[in-house]
Amino acid sequence: MKIIKTILCVLFGLMFVNAGLDKFFHYMPMPEMKPEDMKIYEAMETLSWLIPLVAVIELAGGLLFIFPKTRALGAIVILPITVGILLHNFVFTTEGPGIAIAGVLFLINIWMIGNNWNKYKPMFS
């Protein structure tokens, strides 16, 4: 089980590192977007600080998530991003693998938060 957890966490972290780097360097092709998705994307680009902020959070959270010593912090840092991905896919994507992928990412993140819950307990006492 420890090997599976390590593999999932490394893949999870690398996915977010890749997503963060793509926001800076634009090396992955952009998928075809529906008009309503295009409006959302254009709105996010009008706030010039939003995309770089998300990219930095994805990079930091992904890198923290990869290493077991910092995984608990990485899980909390990346949680708002995974919640945003999940909500966006539930609201705007009704077909394709988007909801399933977002759900798997969210569940891996929640699993790591639950797995490291003893590290968060001092914050609540």
Side-chain angles (χ1 to χ4, degrees), residues 3-20:
I3 294 171
I4 292 171
K5 182 171 98 172
T6 301
I7 290 170
L8 280 176
C9 289
V10 168
L11 290 174
F12 181 93
L14 288 174
M15 285 178 70
F16 279 99
V17 168
N18 181 47

Side-chain angles (χ1 to χ4, degrees), residues 56-70:
V56 167
I57 292 170
E58 286 177 344
L59 280 169
L63 287 172
L64 290 168
F65 208 92
I66 290 172
F67 303 105
K69 190 170 185 148
T70 59

Side-chain angles (χ1 to χ4, degrees), residues 5 14 20-21 26-27 38 46 49 52 56 69 71 77-78 80 90 95 97-99 103 112 115-116:
K5 182 171 98 172
L14 288 174
L21 288 174
H26 309 288
Y27 55 85
M38 202 58 193
T46 59
W49 54 268
V56 167
K69 190 170 185 148
R71 194 166 289 149
V77 167
I78 208 76
F90 270 128
E95 56 197 44
I99 294 173
M112 285 305 109
N115 204 356
N116 292 295

Side-chain angles (χ1 to χ4, degrees), residues 106-125:
F106 180 74
L107 289 175
I108 291 170
N109 197 3
I110 293 299
W111 177 35
M112 285 305 109
I113 289 173
N115 204 356
N116 292 295
W117 189 250
N118 59 338
K119 294 179 181 177
Y120 307 126
K121 281 184 181 177
M123 293 190 299
F124 300 110
S125 61

Side-chain angles (χ1 to χ4, degrees), residues 34-56:
K34 293 184 261 179
E36 56 267 11
D37 289 340
M38 202 58 193
K39 286 180 185 176
I40 294 167
Y41 187 74
E42 289 169 359
M44 287 188 342
E45 282 199 337
T46 59
L47 299 171
S48 59
W49 54 268
L50 185 60
I51 300 290
L53 175 65
V54 171
V56 167

